[in-house]
Amino acid sequence: MQKSFLPFAGLTAARPLRSWLKKLGPGLITGAADDDPSGIATYSQAGAQFGLNLLWTMFFTYPLMVGIQIISARIGRVTGKGLAGNIRLHYPRALLYAIVGLLLAANTINIAADVAAMGDALALLAGGPAHLYAAGFGIVSLLLQVFVPYSRYVRLLKWLTLGLLAYVGVAFAVQISWPQVGLALIAPKLEWNAATITTVVAVFGTTISPYLFFWQASQEVEEMQATPGRQPLIEAPEQARAGFRRIRIDTALGMGFSNLVAFFIILTTAVTLHAHGIDTIQTSADAATALRPIAGEFAFLLFAAGIIGTGLLAVPVLAGSAAYAMAGAFDWKKGLEHKPAMAKRFYAIIAVSTLAGVALGFMPIDPIKALYWSAVVNGVISVPIMAVMMLMSARVAVMGRFVITRRLKWLGWLATGAMALAVVAMFATLGQG
């Protein structure tokens, strides 16, 4: 079925807002979860260190992100299985276990960084012990995933996406020269050295992240199973037109929201921290603290509160994507709609990854290394995962008549190639010292 991947094809202005909102789900939550506290720290570091000169990355990554996420969503919707389940059926087990193992390790480190940032943010706002706050956030997130059914929990996650608007608000709480912003987008001033390229890879890695692929594919399966009458498209091809159209809208808006927020984080830290000579950010909470004397109390409060909201959204996505990957790899029963007794091993992975992340927060780990290098690692491991997704989505044995369109194929391979080139360039410059 050769349908355009363009996100708004077929929409008319006459459609009511309610019909739009109903189409938002896996794509919106996936995009919003991308701006987690670890991502906020990476974007803040990019703005503080390079000013306005890395704003272009958000425009460059947007179409690539939309393309690769649509592909992951299609794999889930067409086959009725997540990425790991499809890899298990069609590729060597060694490849599957390597991918899932790297994903689990990266996600656990990300959870540790995120809950620590949430604890620090609450300590900034209310005082008190940051470590205990972090543990509390991790445990609350775990309990919500375990005891709230998916159909109710997903509505909570949708509301949490509104917390990201705090970062748009911060930008309008400070003075910005928009002509300078436009000039930086058209002609950024950069020295292409190890620091610049590593930061670009970190930005790419935190924007196009492996856990997002696994989460969105699995959420398409959850949505299908939770909706009466829906079946995998390979079994119910008559549902394809509406299904693909919803995926395009949901993913384009979700990734647009994600990149818009990231753009404003880079912009805010560039015109405040970088402009005042602050070029090193240890954590997202450090970025909030540094904003206080420069941009004022309101900007500080918005930035710090946003860290908590985004963390509450991202931690379940990180833990959930790890659980979906493990369960798919070993063919365990899985799904947030199931009660814990019905999917014990699936929920055990959620518990282990969340609690391990909380425990890591109590260890003497350098926060900048945990945050920044986790984004770099995500960028590196994204490449083989994206390559497997592209091969899988073009196989008739996997997708039947719904192999991806030529346009999506070009876009997906462009995203994979761009990520691969960035990683190769990073290692080349690091090797030169």
Side-chain angles (χ1 to χ4, degrees):
M1 179 171 288
Q2 298 295 307
K3 298 291 291 181
S4 169
F5 69 88
L6 293 175
F8 302 110
L11 281 181
T12 65
R15 289 194 176 270
L17 179 62
R18 184 179 300 176
S19 68
W20 279 58
L21 295 177
K22 285 182 179 179
K23 299 180 191 305
L24 303 182
L28 175 67
I29 294 168
T30 302
D34 191 35
D35 293 320
D36 65 329
S38 175
I40 292 167
T42 302
Y43 298 136
S44 297
Q45 177 60 35
Q49 186 172 359
F50 296 99
L52 302 172
N53 293 305
L54 287 186
L55 285 174
W56 63 269
T57 58
M58 293 300 100
F59 288 89
F60 181 76
T61 57
Y62 174 66
L64 307 184
M65 193 179 182
V66 169
I68 203 70
Q69 290 299 144
I70 285 178
I71 290 167
S72 70
R74 281 191 174 212
I75 291 172
R77 185 67 182 91
V78 168
T79 65
K81 296 180 179 64
L83 294 184
N86 277 296
I87 296 172
R88 178 178 59 82
L89 292 174
H90 300 284
Y91 292 91
R93 294 297 172 92
L95 174 64
L96 171 65
Y97 298 150
I99 287 174
V100 171
L102 287 170
L103 179 75
L104 186 60
N107 283 14
T108 301
I109 295 170
N110 249 22
I111 290 171
D114 286 353
V115 294
M118 294 160 68
D120 288 340
L122 186 55
L124 286 175
L125 293 172
H131 283 306
L132 291 182
Y133 290 152
F137 281 127
I139 292 169
V140 167
S141 175
L142 174 59
L143 293 176
L144 287 172
Q145 291 179 87
V146 172
F147 294 109
V148 179
Y150 172 79
S151 56
R152 291 167 57 192
Y153 190 54
V154 73
R155 289 198 292 268
L156 172 63
L157 294 180
K158 284 185 182 181
W159 281 108
L160 285 174
T161 62
L162 296 176
L164 290 173
L165 293 174
Y167 296 105
V168 180
V170 172
F172 291 100
V174 298
Q175 289 192 346
I176 296 173
S177 171
W178 291 104
Q180 283 189 339
V181 172
L183 182 61
L185 286 171
I186 297 170
K189 298 177 181 178
L190 288 171
E191 294 182 8
W192 288 102
N193 50 31
T196 303
I197 294 174
T198 302
T199 302
V200 169
V201 174
V203 169
F204 282 15
T206 202
T207 304
I208 304 175
S209 298
Y211 71 90
L212 302 178
F213 313 150
F214 284 86
W215 174 262
Q216 188 163 356
S218 296
Q219 290 309 287
E220 284 295 330
V221 179
E222 287 271 15
E223 291 270 316
M224 180 195 70
Q225 293 173 345
T227 305
R230 280 192 189 173
Q231 295 176 281
L233 297 183
I234 206 164
E235 299 173 9
E238 69 278 1
Q239 298 177 8
R241 183 174 183 178
F244 288 160
R245 185 169 177 273
R246 178 192 54 77
I247 287 172
R248 289 197 303 272
I249 296 168
D250 186 24
T251 304
L253 291 179
M255 302 311 130
F257 186 42
S258 171
N259 281 39
L260 179 68
V261 170
F263 175 89
F264 276 106
I265 294 171
I266 297 173
L267 175 60
T268 299
T269 51
V271 300
T272 54
L273 308 186
H274 180 80
H276 286 78
I278 301 172
D279 60 4
T280 301
I281 296 298
Q282 297 291 312
T283 66
S284 51
D286 282 354
T289 303
L291 276 174
R292 189 177 227 161
I294 298 170
E297 192 72 15
F298 181 65
F300 160 75
L301 290 173
L302 279 177
F303 204 98
I307 293 168
I308 297 172
T310 58
L312 288 171
L313 175 64
V315 169
V317 173
L318 286 159
S321 63
Y324 281 118
M326 285 289 288
F330 294 100
D331 200 22
W332 298 340
K333 193 166 188 176
K334 56 189 175 296
L336 292 170
E337 193 67 29
H338 292 302
K339 293 182 178 180
M342 299 294 293
K344 294 178 181 178
R345 289 175 290 192
F346 172 77
Y347 282 103
I349 297 298
I350 290 176
V352 168
S353 59
T354 303
L355 295 177
V358 170
L360 281 175
F362 285 87
M363 296 182 181
I365 299 174
D366 186 337
I368 184 60
K369 290 181 179 178
L371 287 166
Y372 190 74
W373 287 104
S374 69
V376 174
V377 168
N378 273 332
V380 173
I381 68 174
S382 285
V383 177
I385 297 174
M386 292 165 74
V388 170
M389 284 172 54
M390 292 307 302
L391 294 171
M392 193 158 50
S393 63
R395 285 186 63 180
V396 174
V398 179
M399 302 288 285
R401 60 186 284 193
F402 298 111
V403 293
I404 58 172
T405 64
R406 184 177 299 175
R407 290 183 180 182
L408 265 181
K409 189 180 296 185
W410 276 102
L411 191 58
W413 279 117
L414 178 61
T416 306
M419 189 69 78
L421 283 174
V423 171
V424 169
M426 177 189 70
F427 283 121
T429 54
L430 289 176
Q432 294 170 4

